[in-house]
């Protein structure tokens, strides 16, 4: 019996042993095949991704109005490491990356040939929502040479999140940074570069330039002053796009309030926008007024966009009045009362203020029997103190009457004058200048701008400082000089206002940038 039992056990043991051997072999074979397929290093293959440049369009709401087309070479990833799981899009397996850098010296952009597949991966930038269209390419048994270089150093690769079919989240080592974001650099620090694509308009295409700013119409022959572009040191300032600007102000009121330098900027804005209008008759002044130096209030309607671009003269933003001093009534400045025309400013969607130019005149600088508070006229008051009090009156009015949920408020800093050899009425001149300065005449921040900035910081309402002072310091060539009137005279030159087209176009370019960022 014991022998029979022993003999009966042998077939069972043999079957168990055979099944164990077969299972182990099958497991090892399956594991080996899976390992080979999932590891690119074992296959010695190169994976290509190709940027479909025809469908890439970068549009930044902060800085760039125009689409930027990128022309990049195919990307070759030679050693992609640390994969997680694979996922499938349209039947094609794509690895999910969890590393944010490429390993090895050969992980560079290259111009190697590759064959397109039919599926696409859309990469979305988390920062601004910009979408990029990537075409996955078939793997090839090619390797890149170690001395390949990136043709464009600005096209950097970082991790970007992608939401693919089935809401699968994937991190891809790609984000295009062709230009640094404008918001990350100081727009006031830079230089002027000569650009033949400027100006954005010319005298013949704009009927809104009045005689004081029409340098070409008044006989100025050189045109180089119209062809300079402001280039910040660390980024590019978006080119002004008139159609997009009109869309930004569709159905709105864009209002400039201030002195004749603000009228300079307002006329520039009209000219820049007018170039995008096909039918000139669709733009008109609501009161039928023709722009001149004498009339101070204008409202131009753009019918196709149901918007108005308006200007209201206010040299000081506070009320210019008269008071009895001795036996006579003399002009005074009510530094405690807002300008009487302020009712027209209310309800605007965009307000651009300025005051500075008239604070350097003799009366304001002397301050003798000129500044008034209530019924009291100061026998003498320092101009800086008077300016601060006036701006506090203005800021209180803004905080009380402007709804920040409806209205965006800007305050433009002072525009520099470039008189040489005397003041405007004492032989000051700038007519010999035909190019920008290599360096600014002064590196100090003007006291007026310091006061303006200090007042703005203390306001409840958010006010954006449109800082144009430093960039305008270089442009001694941009003033009308003797070309501010049709009959030239070298005895009195205008080195305060600006030719159009010219420097104020750049001020509006800055305004356009800020409006895009809202």
């Amino acid at each position: 019996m014991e022998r029979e039992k022993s003999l009966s056990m042998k077939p069972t043991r043999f079957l168990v042993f055979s099944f164990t051997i077969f299972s182990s072999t099958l497991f090892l074979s399956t594991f080996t095949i899976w390992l080979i397929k999932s590891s690119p290093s074992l296959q010695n293959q190169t994976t290509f991704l190709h940027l479909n440049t025809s469908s890439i369009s970068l549009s930044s709401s902060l800085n760039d109005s125009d689409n930027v087309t990128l022309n990049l070479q195919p990307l070759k990833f030679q050693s992609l490491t640390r994969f997680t799981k694979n996922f499938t899009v349209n039947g094609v397996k794509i690895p999910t990356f969890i590393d944010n850098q490429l390993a090895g010296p050969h992980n560079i952009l290259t111009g190697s040939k590759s064959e397109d597949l039919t599926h696409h991966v859309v990469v979305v930038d988390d920062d601004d929502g910009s979408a990029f269209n990537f075409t996955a390419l078939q793997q090839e048994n090619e390797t890149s040479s170690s001395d390949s270089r990136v043709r464009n150093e600005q096209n950097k690769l970082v991790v970007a999140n992608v939401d693919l079919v089935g809401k699968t989240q994937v991190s891809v080592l790609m984000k295009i940074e062709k230009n640094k974001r404008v918001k990350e650099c100081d727009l006031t620090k830079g230089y002027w570069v000569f650009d033949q694509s400027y100006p954005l308009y010319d005298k013949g295409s704009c009927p809104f330039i009045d005689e004081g700013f029409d340098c070409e119409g008044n006989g100025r022959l050189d045109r180089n002053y119209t062809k300079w572009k402001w280039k910040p040191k660390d980024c590019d300032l978006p080119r002004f796009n008139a159609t997009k600007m009109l869309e930004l102000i569709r159905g709105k009121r864009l209002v400039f309030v201030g002195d004749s330098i603000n009228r300079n900027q307002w006329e520039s804005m009209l000219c820049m926008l007018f170039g995008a209008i096909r039918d000139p008759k669709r733009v008109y002044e609501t009161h039928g007024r023709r722009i001149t130096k004498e009339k101070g209030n204008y409202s131009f309607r753009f019918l196709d966009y149901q918007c108005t671009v308006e200007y209201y003269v206010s040299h000081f933003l506070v009320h210019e009045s008269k008071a009895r001093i001795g036996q006579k009534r003399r002009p005074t400045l009510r530094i405690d009362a807002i300008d009487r025309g302020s009712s027209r400013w209310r309800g605007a969607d965009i307000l651009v203020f300025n005051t500075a130019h008239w604070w350097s005149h003799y009366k304001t600088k002397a301050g003798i029997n000129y500044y008034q508070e209530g019924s009291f006229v100061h026998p003498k008051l320092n101009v800086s103190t008077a300016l601060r009090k006036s701006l506090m009156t203005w800021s209180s009015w803004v905080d009380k009457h402007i709804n920040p949920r409806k209205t965006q408020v800007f305050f433009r800093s002072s525009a520099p004058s470039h008189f040489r050899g005397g003041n405007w009425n004492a032989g000051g001149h700038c007519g010999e200048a035909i190019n920008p300065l290599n360096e600014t005449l002064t590196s100090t921040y003007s006291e007026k701008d310091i006061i303006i900035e200090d007042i703005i910081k203390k306001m409840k309402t958010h006010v954006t400082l449109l800082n144009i002072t430093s960039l305008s310091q270089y442009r001694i060539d941009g003033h009308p000089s003797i070309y501010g009137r049709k009959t030239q005279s070298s005895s009195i030159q205008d080195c305060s206002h600006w030719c159009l087209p010219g420097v104020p176009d750049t001020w509006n370019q800055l305004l356009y940038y800020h409006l895009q960022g809202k």
Side-chain angles (χ1 to χ4, degrees):
M1 287 293 294
E2 188 68 22
R3 184 177 179 180
E4 290 179 3
K5 182 177 180 181
S6 175
L7 290 173
S8 65
M9 290 290 290
K10 289 181 180 180
T12 301
R13 291 179 179 177
F14 178 76
L15 288 174
V16 171
F17 177 78
S18 299
F19 179 78
T20 302
I21 296 298
F22 175 78
S23 300
S24 300
T25 303
L26 181 61
F27 174 79
L28 290 173
S29 300
T30 303
F31 178 80
T32 301
I33 293 171
W34 175 86
L35 183 62
I36 291 174
K37 287 186 176 182
S38 62
S39 175
S41 62
L42 294 178
Q43 288 179 301
N44 191 29
Q45 292 180 345
T46 303
T47 302
F48 287 85
L49 290 179
H50 179 70
L51 285 172
N52 188 350
T53 58
S54 64
S55 59
I56 297 179
S57 178
L58 300 180
S59 180
S60 172
S61 63
L62 291 174
N63 342 114
D64 198 351
S65 61
D66 298 325
N67 290 338
V68 177
T69 302
L70 303 182
N71 186 14
L72 301 181
Q73 300 297 327
L75 296 174
K76 176 181 285 188
F77 293 88
Q78 192 143 5
S79 300
L80 297 178
T81 60
R82 291 200 284 177
F83 290 144
T84 60
K85 63 179 180 179
N86 291 336
F87 62 91
T88 302
V89 178
N90 293 342
V92 181
K93 289 185 177 181
I94 303 174
T96 304
F97 307 154
I98 61 172
D99 200 358
N100 67 344
Q101 292 183 353
L102 299 179
H106 303 297
N107 299 318
I108 54 178
L109 295 174
T110 178
S112 301
K113 295 181 179 179
S114 55
E115 182 180 351
D116 289 302
L117 291 179
T118 59
H119 71 280
H120 294 80
V121 179
V122 177
V123 179
V124 180
D125 184 345
D126 283 342
D127 293 334
D128 58 13
S130 300
F132 310 94
N133 196 1
F134 289 88
T135 305
L137 302 183
Q138 191 176 21
Q139 293 182 341
E140 297 180 358
N141 294 322
E142 295 180 11
T143 59
S144 62
S145 62
S146 61
D147 60 346
S148 298
R149 293 294 180 266
V150 180
R151 293 188 179 184
N152 190 341
E153 294 180 357
Q154 291 178 318
N155 299 327
K156 299 178 182 179
L157 304 178
V158 298
V159 177
N161 289 331
V162 183
D163 191 359
L164 296 175
V165 178
K167 296 184 178 180
T168 304
Q169 295 294 330
V170 58
S171 295
V172 181
L173 292 175
M174 289 186 177
K175 177 183 176 183
I176 308 303
E177 287 191 63
K178 184 173 177 62
N179 297 315
K180 290 184 180 180
R181 287 182 175 274
V182 180
K183 70 176 183 179
E184 296 175 351
C185 84
D186 187 349
L187 297 176
T188 67
K189 294 180 180 179
Y191 44 88
W192 291 91
V193 294
F194 195 80
D195 190 330
Q196 286 285 3
S197 69
Y198 282 78
L200 300 175
Y201 61 92
D202 55 43
K203 169 184 162 43
S205 66
C206 182
F208 309 120
I209 305 174
D210 73 50
E211 182 184 5
F213 310 142
D214 186 9
C215 299
E216 182 183 359
N218 294 334
R220 183 168 180 173
L221 298 179
D222 71 286
R223 299 282 291 146
N224 284 354
Y225 68 94
T226 69
K227 297 183 177 296
W228 294 95
K229 177 182 72 173
W230 177 248
K231 174 68 176 70
K233 288 182 179 179
D234 300 318
C235 59
D236 288 323
L237 185 63
R239 188 180 178 93
F240 187 90
N241 185 304
T243 301
K244 290 186 177 180
M245 181 65 185
L246 284 165
E247 288 294 345
L248 286 172
I249 63 173
R250 179 184 288 274
K252 298 179 179 180
R253 293 178 60 205
L254 169 57
V255 174
F256 293 81
V257 179
D259 55 32
S260 56
I261 309 295
N262 237 23
R263 179 166 58 87
N264 219 167
Q265 184 178 355
W266 167 74
E267 288 183 24
S268 162
M269 178 62 77
L270 285 177
C271 291
M272 294 169 82
L273 295 178
F274 191 68
I277 302 299
R278 294 183 179 180
D279 184 359
K281 295 180 181 178
R282 305 285 290 175
V283 181
Y284 62 90
E285 209 284 321
T286 57
H287 298 96
R289 294 174 176 172
R290 179 176 173 271
I291 300 176
T292 67
K293 287 185 176 181
E294 286 70 37
K295 296 190 174 97
N297 301 324
Y298 300 93
S299 176
F300 276 82
R301 176 169 290 278
F302 290 73
L303 278 176
D304 295 335
Y305 294 87
Q306 290 299 305
C307 64
T308 56
V309 182
E310 308 167 32
Y311 167 71
Y312 299 99
V313 62
S314 181
H315 302 131
F316 303 99
L317 301 180
V318 290
H319 180 49
E320 296 181 63
S321 182
K322 286 187 177 182
R324 183 170 296 279
I325 303 173
Q327 299 299 318
K328 296 182 179 180
R329 288 181 60 83
R330 299 182 182 275
T332 59
L333 189 63
R334 285 286 306 275
I335 56 179
D336 62 337
I338 197 70
D339 191 302
R340 295 281 176 86
S342 60
S343 59
R344 298 188 182 103
W345 318 340
R346 297 177 63 173
D349 298 276
I350 303 162
L351 275 168
V352 184
F353 291 99
N354 97 294
T355 185
H357 186 51
W358 282 56
W359 291 92
S360 59
H361 288 189
Y362 172 77
K363 252 189 280 191
T364 51
K365 289 179 69 175
I368 299 173
N369 294 323
Y370 182 62
Y371 298 115
Q372 181 180 354
E373 292 186 85
S375 59
F376 176 71
V377 178
H378 291 272
K380 184 173 177 60
L381 186 65
N382 178 273
V383 64
S384 298
T385 303
L387 174 61
R388 182 176 292 275
K389 286 176 175 287
S390 296
L391 287 173
M392 289 176 65
T393 299
W394 165 81
S395 65
S396 297
W397 180 88
V398 170
D399 283 340
K400 182 178 180 181
H401 296 285
I402 296 302
N403 181 358
R405 291 188 294 273
K406 171 181 170 57
T407 304
Q408 295 171 244
V409 183
F410 296 85
F411 200 107
R412 182 177 54 74
S413 65
S414 62
S417 296
H418 289 93
F419 290 101
R420 289 179 169 179
N423 293 324
W424 67 274
N425 58 352
H429 58 88
C430 59
E432 69 280 5
I434 59 173
N435 289 308
L437 296 169
N438 291 326
E439 57 184 8
T440 58
L441 295 177
T442 176
S443 59
T444 59
Y445 206 43
S446 74
E447 185 181 13
K448 286 181 285 191
D449 289 323
I450 292 173
I451 294 172
I452 290 168
E453 190 168 340
D454 184 54
I455 295 294
I456 288 175
K457 288 179 180 178
K458 296 176 181 178
M459 295 175 63
K460 293 187 298 182
T461 306
H462 175 71
V463 176
T464 301
L465 180 65
L466 204 63
N467 191 342
I468 58 87
T469 307
S470 57
L471 64 90
S472 304
Q473 283 277 8
Y474 295 94
R475 296 305 308 276
I476 189 174
D477 61 316
H479 298 291
S481 62
I482 63 173
Y483 302 105
R485 59 185 67 83
K486 294 189 183 298
T487 56
Q488 290 88 42
S489 172
S490 58
S491 59
I492 297 180
Q493 296 192 17
D494 185 353
C495 304
S496 295
H497 297 94
W498 305 86
C499 297
L500 293 180
V503 175
D505 302 335
T506 299
W507 305 349
N508 283 321
Q509 196 174 358
L510 292 175
L511 177 63
Y512 170 65
Y513 154 69
H514 285 293
L515 289 174
Q516 281 186 301
K518 299 297 180 182

